Amino acid sequence: MDSNDLQVRGRSLEDAFFTRENERLRLGLRADPAAATDLGLADAGAFDRLRDMDVAGDTVAALTLIPVVAIAWADGDLHDKERAALLQAAEAAGIAPGSASHVLLESWLVRRPDPELFERWKSFIVALCADMPPRAVEGLRADLLHRAHAVADAAGGILGFARVSAREREILIELEHAFPA
């Protein structure tokens, strides 16, 4: 067996593992109705509106985590400072270590999610915001953009300059444009 074949088989094994692991975590979030409360949306109005709209805990987890994960992986690599910033932001937002949301985030810090996930997130945001009052949309937007900017700043740049890369800036703009004007 050549090394290419071995790499392909290894990647297939990883894909199968992470697909099953993410599904297990998603089901754990769905089974626990209190799971959404560990997501720490700073704007209580946005969180209340999501709950009133019967948005499931696993969907709220994805809603809050996908933007920061997209920023962290923007340059194709996840830097230690970005990883630390993500975990710190998650904990500060009330996502407790050991919770299903935290474990899902940790899995995304090991293996980059498919870029299609971010595209689906943007599509979901458009549909979600269409059914939310402007004040709740602005609260959600502010929370998610604040977290994304914090992760983008975490990589550090060169000698403190250019803290946010060009690709991170592109994703930040995509995040902002996902919300209605």
Side-chain angles (χ1 to χ4, degrees), residues 48-150:
D48 290 343
R49 183 67 180 144
L50 291 170
R51 188 184 60 227
D52 292 346
M53 294 170 69
D54 292 325
V55 176
D58 55 338
T59 303
V60 177
L63 175 72
T64 61
L65 297 175
I66 290 169
V68 294
V69 171
I71 289 290
W73 284 103
D75 298 324
D77 291 317
L78 188 66
H79 303 284
D80 289 340
K81 289 181 180 179
E82 289 170 315
R83 180 177 281 108
L86 273 167
L87 293 173
Q88 181 180 7
E91 192 168 336
I95 299 174
S99 69
S101 298
H102 197 275
V103 174
L104 179 61
L105 174 61
E106 287 177 329
S107 77
W108 285 343
L109 299 180
V110 172
R111 182 168 170 89
R112 182 182 192 169
D114 186 322
E116 176 64 22
L117 186 64
F118 186 51
E119 295 304 316
R120 289 180 186 212
W121 178 89
K122 291 186 294 186
S123 176
F124 179 78
I125 282 293
V126 169
L128 179 69
C129 290
D131 289 336
M132 292 177 74
R135 186 173 168 174
V137 170
E138 184 50 38
L140 180 63
R141 178 186 173 280
D143 274 356
L144 297 181
L145 290 177
H146 174 75
R147 291 179 192 187
H149 279 279

